[in-house]
Amino acid sequence: LETSPTCSWDPFSVSVAMNLELDGAYVKTRVCGVESDEERWDTGRVCVLDNFFGEEERVELLQQITAPDFNVSAPPPDAKWERSLSDQPGLPQTLGLKCDVLHDLCEM
């Protein structure tokens, strides 16, 4: 993993604290809010890494998915989040990042 010459972060300091697969189900495929008849196996996973981000990166990531000086006790901003995801047809929709925000995260 490349880092800049001025970066003090050491990639070897990262450790996996937890790696979980929570559940699984067949779900309708959805790409940027458009549902198809195709189904896929989907699982909920959580991987917790210690020492992956420093405080500077945490602030930058939070601002990328919310807004500068965002109040974290407020609901996610509508400009970046949408209620368009559901675990199964007929269940309430939950929040997810909008496609353009996800794209911007990949470009960071």
Side-chain angles (χ1 to χ4, degrees):
L1 182 62
E2 286 188 40
T3 59
S4 73
T6 59
C7 179
S8 63
W9 177 72
D10 177 11
F12 295 104
S13 68
V14 176
S15 63
V16 176
M18 198 179 326
N19 186 8
L20 304 169
E21 186 169 346
L22 304 174
D23 59 6
Y26 285 101
V27 296
K28 296 279 186 183
T29 299
R30 178 182 286 260
V31 178
C32 292
V34 178
E35 190 172 296
S36 76
D37 290 332
E38 191 175 316
E39 288 189 339
R40 63 183 169 79
W41 180 251
D42 185 49
T43 60
R45 295 192 64 95
V46 175
C47 182
V48 179
L49 302 174
D50 282 342
N51 298 316
F52 188 73
F53 289 117
E55 182 62 17
E56 183 180 325
E57 293 85 9
R58 185 196 67 77
V59 169
E60 183 180 0
L61 181 59
L62 179 63
Q63 289 179 355
Q64 185 74 21
I65 64 171
T66 59
D69 301 318
F70 180 73
N71 177 357
V72 295
S73 64
D78 292 337
K80 295 191 177 184
W81 292 80
E82 62 186 349
R83 195 170 290 278
S84 65
L85 305 170
S86 178
D87 290 338
Q88 289 183 331
L91 290 180
Q93 293 184 329
T94 58
L95 288 166
L97 286 171
K98 291 183 175 183
C99 286
D100 60 321
V101 178
L102 287 171
H103 181 267
D104 291 346
L105 280 174
C106 292
E107 298 296 318
M108 284 182 73

